Amino acid sequence: GDLRCLARQLVRLHHEALVQRGHHAEEERRQRDPATDRRQGAPAEAVAGGGRREAEEAATESPSDSRLPTPDSVLDLIATLVEASLLRSDTGLDGTVRYRMLETIREFAEERLVASGEAEAVRKRHADFFIAFAERYELAELLPDGDQVLALLEAEHANLRAALAWLEETDTAGALLRLAAALGRFWTGRGYAHESRGWLERALAHDGAAADRAKALVALGIILIYQGANQEAEPILTEGLAGCRALGDALHAVLALIG
């Protein structure tokens, strides 16, 4: 039900955006000198419809048009959004299909989301999802399909960054440290030394669970060694090792000892 409601809302937003663009372009066209309009090749119509009948028809439809699709399944929902030009699909080398929203539509939808008063709740759900996602694949390199999992983490890195940024902005208790700690192994293994050092240092300035703090310290210490900052790394790894031992986290204790 929630997904179907979201699909309908997004399609309506798309129609509203086209209508608004069409009205704005029409007003500009009326204000221009007809000769100027002919010299410029009637750009107002191009802006409103791009020369395509489907877009022109969409720009004249009411947002409450009864012909709007009503998807009955997730697949129908995705197809609806693609057909409405709200999503684009990209197929990876492994055949995995990923969908992304067009930037202009995303910005418009985000504005409406903020106006609805539900933005914070949606961002929290987004952050919660990616905390669980990062923790599920925290030790990706040890899994039988480790390469594929690492590729999946890489593909979702932008979402993970967005979650980190929101958690830092809202100073959500413990969550920033939790997510940064879960990403430590991914960051150290994929060469994100500079970026991850910043996230880990800022996350460690926040309160959080002792287990998350210990893991984050070990990850930060290893990154500092990669960067040649051995003297800075030593006390951080020592503290992380002590925390791991106290909590019985043998794996991260070993990583702290290996450096």
Side-chain angles (χ1 to χ4, degrees):
D2 291 342
L3 287 174
R4 289 195 293 271
C5 180
L6 176 61
R8 295 189 188 101
Q9 290 175 351
L10 287 173
V11 173
R12 289 190 179 96
L13 288 174
H14 179 57
H15 281 268
E16 289 176 15
L18 288 171
V19 169
Q20 290 176 7
R21 288 167 59 191
H23 289 169
H24 179 68
E26 176 64 16
E27 183 62 26
E28 286 188 343
R29 189 190 67 78
R30 289 173 180 172
Q31 292 176 2
R32 282 200 304 268
D33 179 79
T36 302
D37 190 62
R38 286 192 297 271
R39 286 196 301 272
Q40 294 180 344
E45 282 76 5
V47 171
R52 296 178 59 182
R53 183 188 63 190
E54 294 86 353
E56 291 170 358
E57 290 175 349
T60 59
E61 287 179 354
S62 168
S64 60
D65 196 315
S66 61
R67 292 174 292 169
L68 288 176
T70 55
D72 295 319
S73 69
V74 173
L75 290 177
D76 286 342
L77 178 146
I78 292 174
T80 296
L81 298 181
V82 171
E83 289 173 3
S85 299
L86 291 167
L87 291 179
R88 283 183 176 172
S89 61
D90 298 315
T91 304
L93 296 176
D94 61 351
T96 301
V97 179
R98 293 177 59 82
Y99 295 91
R100 58 188 176 87
M101 186 173 287
L102 299 179
E103 186 64 18
T104 53
I105 299 301
R106 187 197 64 78
E107 290 175 356
F108 183 75
E110 185 173 9
E111 290 175 2
R112 295 300 295 269
L113 178 63
V114 171
S116 74
E118 298 178 1
E120 292 303 296
V122 170
R123 291 189 178 109
K124 184 181 183 306
R125 289 197 296 270
H126 175 273
D128 289 344
F129 175 87
F130 280 100
I131 288 172
F133 173 84
E135 289 180 333
R136 185 185 316 139
Y137 298 124
E138 182 176 351
L139 301 175
E141 74 274 19
L142 302 180
L143 298 175
D145 55 349
D147 289 343
Q148 293 181 9
V149 174
L150 286 169
L152 178 60
L153 284 163
E154 192 73 60
E156 296 294 355
H157 205 181
N159 275 311
L160 292 163
R161 289 185 179 110
L164 286 162
W166 182 79
L167 291 170
E168 182 176 31
E169 177 186 334
T170 56
D171 195 18
T172 304
L176 176 63
L177 182 59
R178 182 180 169 188
L179 179 52
L183 290 171
R185 292 295 300 163
F186 166 69
W187 280 333
T188 55
R190 303 291 279 193
Y192 291 106
H194 180 73
E195 178 183 2
S196 60
R197 177 178 177 176
W199 282 120
L200 287 164
E201 287 178 339
R202 295 196 299 277
L204 284 164
H206 292 246
D207 293 330
D212 295 330
R213 180 172 181 81
K215 288 191 297 184
L217 286 166
V218 172
L220 177 58
I222 293 172
I223 287 167
L224 288 170
I225 289 177
Y226 286 168
Q227 293 183 323
N230 292 11
Q231 289 185 340
E232 292 180 59
E234 184 177 354
I236 291 173
L237 285 172
T238 299
E239 183 182 350
L241 174 61
C244 290
R245 283 175 169 170
L247 294 163
D249 186 346
L251 175 60
H252 288 90
V254 170
L255 293 173
L257 288 170
I258 294 174

